[in-house]
Amino acid sequence: MTTPITALDQLNLAFAARFNARDLDGLMALNRPGVVFVPAPGQPVTGEAGVRGALEQFLGLNLPITMTVRQTFESEGVGLAIADWTITGTGPDGSEISLAGTTADVAVYSEEHGWRYAVDNPFGTA
């Protein structure tokens, strides 16, 4: 079992650490049941299989992610985390990849699980 994230400003950083470790199960553990993941602007996916598949595609780039937390806001166990991220480098097929965004993530807190994503929206308002 992974250690719960007890501070909202650490959730996106935990995502980056698990992403860079290629830890798909660890990434999935950061999500609450029923999470909505938006792997491309305006294209949400739900359900464990859908979210897992979308994360696998990002991990398949075999490139590191950098993450800088910009702001977090909390109210009674509900939080908004805003962070800037980039994925750049040469992809497995030899093409240059340059992805970037500013997240707008909604998280919920529980004593048992800590902070977890309810809505993981890496491209924010795009």
Coordinates of all heavy atoms in Angstrom, one line a residue, residues 14-98:
A14 N 3.4 14.0 -6.1 CA 3.4 12.6 -5.9 C 3.1 12.0 -7.3 O 3.6 10.9 -7.7 CB 2.4 12.1 -4.9
F15 N 2.2 12.6 -8.0 CA 1.8 12.1 -9.4 C 3.1 12.1 -10.2 O 3.4 11.1 -10.9 CB 0.8 13.0 -10.0 CG 0.4 12.6 -11.4 CD1 -0.7 11.8 -11.7 CD2 1.2 13.0 -12.5 CE1 -1.0 11.4 -12.9 CE2 0.9 12.6 -13.8 CZ -0.2 11.8 -14.0
A16 N 3.9 13.2 -10.2 CA 5.1 13.3 -11.0 C 6.1 12.2 -10.6 O 6.7 11.6 -11.5 CB 5.7 14.7 -10.9
A17 N 6.3 12.0 -9.3 CA 7.2 11.0 -8.8 C 6.8 9.6 -9.3 O 7.7 8.8 -9.8 CB 7.3 11.0 -7.3
R18 N 5.5 9.3 -9.2 CA 5.1 8.0 -9.6 C 5.1 7.8 -11.2 O 5.4 6.8 -11.7 CB 3.7 7.7 -9.1 CG 3.7 7.6 -7.6 CD 2.3 7.5 -6.9 NE 2.4 7.7 -5.5 CZ 1.5 7.4 -4.7 NH1 0.3 7.0 -5.1 NH2 1.6 7.6 -3.4
F19 N 4.8 8.9 -11.9 CA 4.9 8.9 -13.3 C 6.3 8.6 -13.8 O 6.6 7.8 -14.6 CB 4.4 10.3 -13.9 CG 4.4 10.3 -15.3 CD1 3.2 10.2 -16.0 CD2 5.5 10.7 -16.1 CE1 3.1 10.2 -17.4 CE2 5.4 10.7 -17.5 CZ 4.2 10.5 -18.1
N20 N 7.3 9.3 -13.2 CA 8.7 9.2 -13.5 C 9.2 7.8 -13.1 O 10.2 7.3 -13.7 CB 9.5 10.3 -13.0 CG 9.2 11.6 -13.6 OD1 8.7 11.7 -14.8 ND2 9.4 12.7 -12.9
A21 N 8.6 7.2 -12.2 CA 9.0 5.8 -11.8 C 8.2 4.8 -12.6 O 8.5 3.6 -12.4 CB 8.7 5.6 -10.3
R22 N 7.4 5.2 -13.5 CA 6.6 4.3 -14.3 C 5.7 3.4 -13.5 O 5.5 2.2 -13.8 CB 7.4 3.5 -15.3 CG 8.3 4.4 -16.2 CD 7.5 5.3 -17.1 NE 8.3 6.0 -18.1 CZ 8.5 7.3 -17.9 NH1 8.1 8.0 -16.9 NH2 9.2 8.0 -18.8
D23 N 5.2 3.9 -12.4 CA 4.4 3.2 -11.4 C 2.9 3.4 -11.7 O 2.3 4.2 -11.1 CB 4.8 3.6 -10.0 CG 4.0 2.9 -8.9 OD1 3.2 2.0 -9.2 OD2 4.2 3.3 -7.7
L24 N 2.4 2.6 -12.6 CA 1.0 2.8 -13.0 C 0.0 2.5 -11.8 O -0.9 3.2 -11.6 CB 0.6 1.8 -14.2 CG -0.8 1.9 -14.7 CD1 -1.2 3.3 -15.1 CD2 -1.0 0.9 -15.9
D25 N 0.3 1.4 -11.1 CA -0.6 1.1 -9.9 C -0.5 2.3 -8.9 O -1.5 2.6 -8.3 CB -0.2 -0.2 -9.3 CG -0.5 -1.4 -10.1 OD1 -1.5 -1.3 -10.9 OD2 0.1 -2.4 -10.0
G26 N 0.7 2.8 -8.7 CA 0.8 4.0 -7.8 C 0.1 5.2 -8.3 O -0.6 5.9 -7.5
L27 N 0.0 5.4 -9.6 CA -0.7 6.5 -10.2 C -2.2 6.3 -9.9 O -3.0 7.2 -9.5 CB -0.4 6.7 -11.6 CG 0.9 7.3 -12.0 CD1 1.2 7.1 -13.5 CD2 1.0 8.7 -11.6
M28 N -2.7 5.0 -10.2 CA -4.1 4.7 -10.0 C -4.5 4.9 -8.5 O -5.6 5.3 -8.3 CB -4.3 3.3 -10.5 CG -4.2 3.1 -12.0 SD -5.4 4.1 -12.9 CE -7.0 3.3 -12.5
A29 N -3.6 4.6 -7.6 CA -3.9 4.8 -6.2 C -4.1 6.2 -5.8 O -4.7 6.5 -4.7 CB -2.8 4.2 -5.3
L30 N -3.7 7.2 -6.6 CA -3.9 8.6 -6.3 C -5.3 9.0 -6.7 O -5.7 10.2 -6.5 CB -2.9 9.5 -7.1 CG -1.5 9.3 -6.6 CD1 -0.6 10.1 -7.6 CD2 -1.3 9.8 -5.2
N31 N -6.1 8.1 -7.3 CA -7.5 8.4 -7.7 C -8.5 7.9 -6.8 O -8.4 6.7 -6.4 CB -7.7 7.9 -9.1 CG -6.8 8.4 -10.2 OD1 -6.5 9.6 -10.1 ND2 -6.4 7.6 -11.1
R32 N -9.6 8.6 -6.5 CA -10.7 8.1 -5.8 C -11.6 7.3 -6.8 O -11.5 7.5 -8.0 CB -11.5 9.2 -5.1 CG -12.2 10.1 -6.1 CD -13.1 11.1 -5.4 NE -14.1 10.6 -4.5 CZ -15.3 10.1 -5.0 NH1 -15.6 10.2 -6.3 NH2 -16.2 9.6 -4.1
P33 N -12.4 6.4 -6.3 CA -13.3 5.7 -7.2 C -14.2 6.7 -7.9 O -14.6 7.7 -7.3 CB -14.1 4.8 -6.2 CG -13.3 4.6 -5.0 CD -12.5 5.9 -4.9
G34 N -14.4 6.4 -9.2 CA -15.3 7.3 -10.0 C -14.5 8.5 -10.5 O -15.2 9.5 -11.0
V35 N -13.2 8.6 -10.4 CA -12.4 9.7 -10.9 C -12.7 10.0 -12.4 O -13.0 9.1 -13.1 CB -10.9 9.4 -10.7 CG1 -10.4 8.3 -11.6 CG2 -10.1 10.7 -11.0
V36 N -12.6 11.2 -12.7 CA -12.7 11.7 -14.1 C -11.3 12.1 -14.5 O -10.7 13.0 -13.8 CB -13.7 12.8 -14.3 CG1 -13.7 13.3 -15.8 CG2 -15.1 12.4 -14.0
F37 N -10.7 11.5 -15.6 CA -9.4 11.9 -16.1 C -9.6 12.5 -17.5 O -10.4 11.9 -18.3 CB -8.5 10.7 -16.1 CG -7.1 11.0 -16.6 CD1 -6.3 11.9 -16.0 CD2 -6.6 10.2 -17.6 CE1 -5.0 12.2 -16.5 CE2 -5.3 10.5 -18.1 CZ -4.5 11.5 -17.5
V38 N -9.0 13.6 -17.7 CA -9.1 14.3 -19.0 C -7.8 14.2 -19.7 O -7.0 15.2 -19.6 CB -9.6 15.7 -18.8 CG1 -10.0 16.3 -20.2 CG2 -10.8 15.7 -17.9
P39 N -7.4 13.2 -20.5 CA -6.1 13.0 -21.1 C -5.9 14.0 -22.3 O -4.8 14.2 -22.7 CB -6.1 11.6 -21.5 CG -7.5 11.2 -21.7 CD -8.3 12.0 -20.7
A40 N -7.0 14.5 -22.8 CA -6.9 15.5 -23.9 C -8.0 16.5 -23.7 O -9.1 16.1 -23.2 CB -7.0 14.8 -25.3
P41 N -7.8 17.8 -24.0 CA -8.8 18.8 -23.8 C -10.2 18.4 -24.3 O -10.3 17.9 -25.4 CB -8.3 20.0 -24.5 CG -6.8 19.8 -24.5 CD -6.6 18.3 -24.7
G42 N -11.2 18.4 -23.4 CA -12.5 18.1 -23.7 C -12.9 16.6 -23.9 O -13.9 16.3 -24.4
Q43 N -11.9 15.7 -23.5 CA -12.1 14.3 -23.8 C -12.0 13.5 -22.5 O -11.0 12.8 -22.3 CB -11.2 13.8 -24.8 CG -11.4 14.5 -26.2 CD -10.4 13.9 -27.2 OE1 -9.8 12.9 -27.1 NE2 -10.2 14.7 -28.3
P44 N -12.9 13.6 -21.6 CA -12.8 12.9 -20.3 C -13.0 11.4 -20.4 O -13.7 10.9 -21.3 CB -14.0 13.5 -19.5 CG -15.0 14.0 -20.5 CD -14.2 14.4 -21.7
V45 N -12.3 10.7 -19.6 CA -12.5 9.2 -19.5 C -12.8 8.9 -18.0 O -12.4 9.6 -17.1 CB -11.3 8.4 -19.9 CG1 -11.1 8.6 -21.4 CG2 -10.1 8.7 -19.1
T46 N -13.6 7.9 -17.8 CA -14.0 7.4 -16.5 C -13.8 5.9 -16.4 O -13.6 5.3 -17.4 CB -15.4 7.8 -16.1 OG1 -16.3 7.2 -17.1 CG2 -15.6 9.3 -16.1
G47 N -14.0 5.4 -15.3 CA -13.9 3.9 -15.1 C -12.4 3.5 -15.0 O -11.5 4.2 -15.6
E48 N -12.1 2.5 -14.2 CA -10.8 2.1 -13.9 C -10.0 1.8 -15.2 O -8.9 2.2 -15.4 CB -10.7 1.0 -12.9 CG -9.3 0.6 -12.6 CD -9.2 -0.4 -11.5 OE1 -10.1 -0.7 -10.8 OE2 -8.1 -1.0 -11.4
A49 N -10.7 1.0 -16.1 CA -10.0 0.6 -17.3 C -9.7 1.8 -18.2 O -8.6 1.9 -18.8 CB -10.9 -0.4 -18.1
G50 N -10.6 2.7 -18.3 CA -10.4 3.9 -19.2 C -9.3 4.8 -18.7 O -8.5 5.2 -19.4
V51 N -9.3 5.0 -17.4 CA -8.3 5.9 -16.8 C -6.9 5.2 -16.9 O -5.9 5.8 -17.2 CB -8.6 6.2 -15.3 CG1 -7.5 6.9 -14.6 CG2 -9.9 7.1 -15.3
R52 N -6.9 3.9 -16.6 CA -5.6 3.1 -16.6 C -5.1 3.2 -18.1 O -3.9 3.4 -18.3 CB -5.9 1.7 -16.2 CG -4.6 0.8 -16.2 CD -4.9 -0.6 -15.6 NE -5.0 -0.5 -14.2 CZ -4.0 -0.6 -13.3 NH1 -2.8 -0.7 -13.8 NH2 -4.2 -0.6 -12.0
G53 N -5.9 3.0 -19.0 CA -5.5 3.0 -20.4 C -4.9 4.3 -20.9 O -3.9 4.4 -21.6
A54 N -5.6 5.4 -20.4 CA -5.1 6.7 -20.8 C -3.8 7.0 -20.1 O -2.9 7.6 -20.8 CB -6.1 7.8 -20.3
L55 N -3.6 6.6 -18.9 CA -2.3 6.8 -18.2 C -1.2 6.0 -18.8 O -0.1 6.4 -19.0 CB -2.4 6.5 -16.7 CG -3.2 7.5 -15.9 CD1 -3.5 6.9 -14.5 CD2 -2.4 8.8 -15.8
E56 N -1.6 4.8 -19.3 CA -0.6 3.9 -20.0 C -0.1 4.6 -21.2 O 1.1 4.4 -21.6 CB -1.2 2.5 -20.3 CG -1.3 1.6 -19.1 CD -2.0 0.3 -19.5 OE1 -2.9 0.3 -20.4 OE2 -1.7 -0.7 -18.8
Q57 N -1.0 5.3 -21.9 CA -0.5 6.0 -23.2 C 0.5 7.0 -22.8 O 1.5 7.2 -23.5 CB -1.7 6.6 -23.9 CG -2.6 5.6 -24.6 CD -3.7 6.2 -25.4 OE1 -4.1 7.3 -25.1 NE2 -4.1 5.4 -26.4
F58 N 0.3 7.8 -21.8 CA 1.3 8.8 -21.3 C 2.6 8.2 -20.9 O 3.6 8.6 -21.3 CB 0.7 9.7 -20.2 CG -0.2 10.8 -20.6 CD1 -1.5 10.8 -20.4 CD2 0.3 11.9 -21.3 CE1 -2.4 11.8 -20.8 CE2 -0.5 12.9 -21.7 CZ -1.8 12.9 -21.5
L59 N 2.5 7.1 -20.1 CA 3.7 6.4 -19.7 C 4.4 5.8 -20.9 O 5.6 5.7 -20.9 CB 3.3 5.3 -18.7 CG 2.9 5.8 -17.3 CD1 2.5 4.6 -16.5 CD2 3.9 6.6 -16.6
G60 N 3.7 5.4 -21.9 CA 4.3 4.8 -23.1 C 5.2 5.8 -23.9 O 6.0 5.4 -24.7
L61 N 5.1 7.1 -23.6 CA 6.0 8.0 -24.2 C 7.4 7.8 -23.7 O 8.4 8.2 -24.3 CB 5.6 9.5 -23.9 CG 4.2 9.9 -24.5 CD1 3.9 11.3 -23.9 CD2 4.3 9.9 -26.0
N62 N 7.5 7.2 -22.5 CA 8.8 6.9 -21.9 C 9.7 8.1 -21.7 O 10.9 8.1 -21.9 CB 9.6 5.8 -22.6 CG 10.6 5.1 -21.8 OD1 10.4 5.0 -20.6 ND2 11.7 4.6 -22.3
L63 N 9.0 9.2 -21.3 CA 9.7 10.5 -21.0 C 9.3 11.0 -19.6 O 8.2 10.7 -19.1 CB 9.2 11.5 -22.0 CG 9.7 11.3 -23.5 CD1 9.0 12.3 -24.4 CD2 11.2 11.4 -23.6
P64 N 10.1 11.7 -19.0 CA 9.8 12.2 -17.6 C 8.9 13.4 -17.7 O 8.8 14.1 -18.7 CB 11.2 12.7 -17.1 CG 12.0 13.0 -18.3 CD 11.5 12.1 -19.4
I65 N 8.2 13.6 -16.6 CA 7.3 14.8 -16.4 C 7.9 15.7 -15.4 O 8.5 15.2 -14.4 CB 5.9 14.3 -16.0 CG1 4.9 15.5 -16.1 CG2 5.8 13.7 -14.7 CD1 3.4 15.1 -16.0
T66 N 7.9 17.0 -15.6 CA 8.2 17.9 -14.6 C 6.9 18.6 -14.1 O 6.0 18.8 -14.9 CB 9.2 19.0 -15.0 OG1 8.7 19.7 -16.1 CG2 10.5 18.3 -15.5
M67 N 6.9 18.9 -12.8 CA 5.7 19.5 -12.3 C 6.0 20.6 -11.3 O 6.9 20.4 -10.4 CB 4.9 18.4 -11.5 CG 3.6 18.7 -11.0 SD 2.2 18.6 -12.2 CE 2.2 16.8 -12.5
T68 N 5.4 21.7 -11.4 CA 5.6 22.8 -10.5 C 4.2 23.2 -10.0 O 3.3 23.7 -10.8 CB 6.2 24.0 -11.2 OG1 7.5 23.6 -11.7 CG2 6.5 25.2 -10.2
V69 N 4.0 23.0 -8.7 CA 2.7 23.4 -8.1 C 2.6 24.9 -8.0 O 3.5 25.6 -7.5 CB 2.5 22.8 -6.7 CG1 1.2 23.2 -6.0 CG2 2.6 21.3 -6.8
R70 N 1.5 25.5 -8.6 CA 1.3 26.9 -8.6 C 0.5 27.4 -7.4 O 0.9 28.3 -6.7 CB 0.6 27.3 -9.9 CG 0.6 28.8 -10.1 CD -0.3 29.1 -11.3 NE 0.3 28.7 -12.6 CZ -0.2 29.1 -13.7 NH1 -1.3 29.9 -13.8 NH2 0.4 28.7 -14.9
Q71 N -0.7 26.7 -7.2 CA -1.5 27.1 -6.1 C -2.4 25.9 -5.7 O -2.7 25.0 -6.5 CB -2.5 28.2 -6.5 CG -1.9 29.5 -6.8 CD -2.9 30.5 -7.2 OE1 -3.8 30.3 -8.0 NE2 -2.8 31.7 -6.7
T72 N -2.8 25.9 -4.4 CA -3.8 24.9 -4.0 C -4.8 25.7 -3.1 O -4.5 26.7 -2.4 CB -3.2 23.8 -3.2 OG1 -2.6 24.3 -2.0 CG2 -2.3 22.9 -4.0
F73 N -6.1 25.2 -3.1 CA -7.1 25.8 -2.3 C -7.9 24.6 -1.7 O -8.1 23.6 -2.4 CB -8.1 26.6 -3.2 CG -7.4 27.7 -3.9 CD1 -7.0 27.6 -5.3 CD2 -7.1 28.9 -3.3 CE1 -6.4 28.6 -6.0 CE2 -6.5 30.0 -4.0 CZ -6.1 29.8 -5.3
E74 N -8.3 24.8 -0.4 CA -9.0 23.7 0.3 C -10.2 24.3 1.0 O -10.2 25.4 1.5 CB -8.1 23.1 1.3 CG -6.8 22.5 0.8 CD -6.0 22.0 2.0 OE1 -6.5 21.5 3.0 OE2 -4.7 22.0 1.8
S75 N -11.3 23.4 1.1 CA -12.4 23.8 1.8 C -13.1 22.5 2.3 O -13.6 21.7 1.4 CB -13.4 24.6 1.0 OG -14.6 24.9 1.8
E76 N -13.0 22.2 3.6 CA -13.7 21.0 4.2 C -13.5 19.7 3.4 O -14.5 19.1 3.0 CB -15.2 21.4 4.3 CG -15.5 22.6 5.2 CD -16.9 22.9 5.3 OE1 -17.8 22.2 4.9 OE2 -17.2 24.0 5.9
G77 N -12.3 19.4 3.1 CA -12.0 18.1 2.5 C -12.1 18.1 1.0 O -12.0 17.0 0.4
V78 N -12.3 19.3 0.4 CA -12.3 19.4 -1.1 C -11.3 20.4 -1.5 O -11.1 21.4 -0.8 CB -13.7 19.8 -1.6 CG1 -13.7 20.0 -3.1 CG2 -14.8 18.9 -1.2
G79 N -10.5 20.0 -2.5 CA -9.4 20.9 -2.9 C -9.3 21.1 -4.4 O -9.8 20.3 -5.2
L80 N -8.7 22.2 -4.7 CA -8.3 22.5 -6.1 C -6.8 22.7 -6.2 O -6.2 23.5 -5.4 CB -9.0 23.8 -6.6 CG -8.6 24.3 -8.0 CD1 -9.1 23.4 -9.1 CD2 -9.2 25.7 -8.2
A81 N -6.2 21.9 -7.0 CA -4.7 22.0 -7.2 C -4.4 22.4 -8.6 O -4.9 21.9 -9.6 CB -4.1 20.6 -6.9
I82 N -3.6 23.5 -8.7 CA -3.2 24.0 -10.0 C -1.7 23.9 -10.1 O -0.9 24.4 -9.2 CB -3.6 25.5 -10.1 CG1 -5.1 25.6 -9.9 CG2 -3.1 26.1 -11.4 CD1 -5.7 27.0 -9.7
A83 N -1.2 23.3 -11.2 CA 0.2 23.0 -11.3 C 0.6 23.1 -12.8 O -0.2 22.7 -13.7 CB 0.6 21.7 -10.8
D84 N 1.8 23.5 -13.1 CA 2.3 23.6 -14.5 C 3.2 22.3 -14.7 O 3.9 21.9 -13.8 CB 3.2 24.8 -14.7 CG 2.4 26.1 -14.5 OD1 1.3 26.2 -15.0 OD2 3.0 27.0 -13.8
W85 N 3.0 21.7 -15.9 CA 3.8 20.4 -16.1 C 4.3 20.5 -17.6 O 3.7 21.1 -18.4 CB 2.9 19.2 -15.9 CG 1.7 19.1 -16.8 CD1 0.4 19.7 -16.5 CD2 1.6 18.6 -18.1 NE1 -0.4 19.4 -17.6 CE2 0.3 18.8 -18.5 CE3 2.5 17.9 -18.9 CZ2 -0.2 18.3 -19.8 CZ3 2.1 17.4 -20.1 CH2 0.7 17.6 -20.6
T86 N 5.3 19.7 -17.8 CA 5.9 19.5 -19.1 C 6.3 18.1 -19.3 O 6.8 17.4 -18.3 CB 7.1 20.5 -19.4 OG1 8.1 20.2 -18.5 CG2 6.6 21.9 -19.4
I87 N 6.2 17.6 -20.5 CA 6.8 16.3 -20.9 C 7.5 16.6 -22.3 O 6.8 16.9 -23.2 CB 5.7 15.2 -21.1 CG1 5.0 14.9 -19.8 CG2 6.4 13.9 -21.7 CD1 3.8 13.9 -20.0
T88 N 8.8 16.6 -22.3 CA 9.5 16.9 -23.5 C 10.6 15.8 -23.7 O 11.2 15.3 -22.8 CB 10.1 18.3 -23.5 OG1 11.0 18.4 -22.4 CG2 9.0 19.3 -23.5
G89 N 11.0 15.6 -25.0 CA 12.1 14.7 -25.3 C 11.8 14.0 -26.6 O 10.9 14.4 -27.4
T90 N 12.5 13.0 -26.9 CA 12.4 12.2 -28.0 C 11.6 10.9 -27.7 O 11.9 10.2 -26.8 CB 13.8 11.7 -28.6 OG1 14.5 12.9 -28.8 CG2 13.6 11.0 -29.9
G91 N 10.5 10.7 -28.4 CA 9.6 9.6 -28.1 C 10.2 8.3 -28.6 O 11.2 8.3 -29.3
P92 N 9.5 7.2 -28.3 CA 10.0 5.9 -28.7 C 10.1 5.7 -30.2 O 11.0 4.9 -30.7 CB 8.9 4.9 -28.1 CG 8.2 5.7 -27.1 CD 8.3 7.1 -27.5
D93 N 9.3 6.5 -31.0 CA 9.4 6.4 -32.4 C 10.4 7.3 -33.0 O 10.6 7.4 -34.3 CB 8.1 6.6 -33.1 CG 7.5 8.0 -32.9 OD1 8.2 8.8 -32.2 OD2 6.4 8.3 -33.4
G94 N 11.2 8.1 -32.2 CA 12.2 9.0 -32.7 C 11.7 10.4 -32.9 O 12.5 11.3 -33.2
S95 N 10.4 10.6 -32.7 CA 9.8 12.0 -32.9 C 10.0 12.8 -31.7 O 10.0 12.3 -30.6 CB 8.3 11.9 -33.3 OG 7.6 11.4 -32.2
E96 N 10.1 14.1 -31.9 CA 10.2 15.1 -30.8 C 8.9 15.3 -30.2 O 7.9 15.5 -30.9 CB 10.8 16.4 -31.3 CG 12.3 16.3 -31.6 CD 13.2 15.8 -30.4 OE1 13.0 16.3 -29.3 OE2 14.0 14.9 -30.6
I97 N 8.8 15.2 -28.9 CA 7.5 15.4 -28.2 C 7.7 16.6 -27.3 O 8.7 16.8 -26.6 CB 7.2 14.1 -27.3 CG1 6.9 13.0 -28.3 CG2 6.0 14.4 -26.4 CD1 6.7 11.7 -27.7
S98 N 6.7 17.5 -27.3 CA 6.6 18.6 -26.4 C 5.2 18.8 -26.0 O 4.4 19.4 -26.7 CB 7.2 19.9 -27.1 OG 7.2 21.0 -26.2

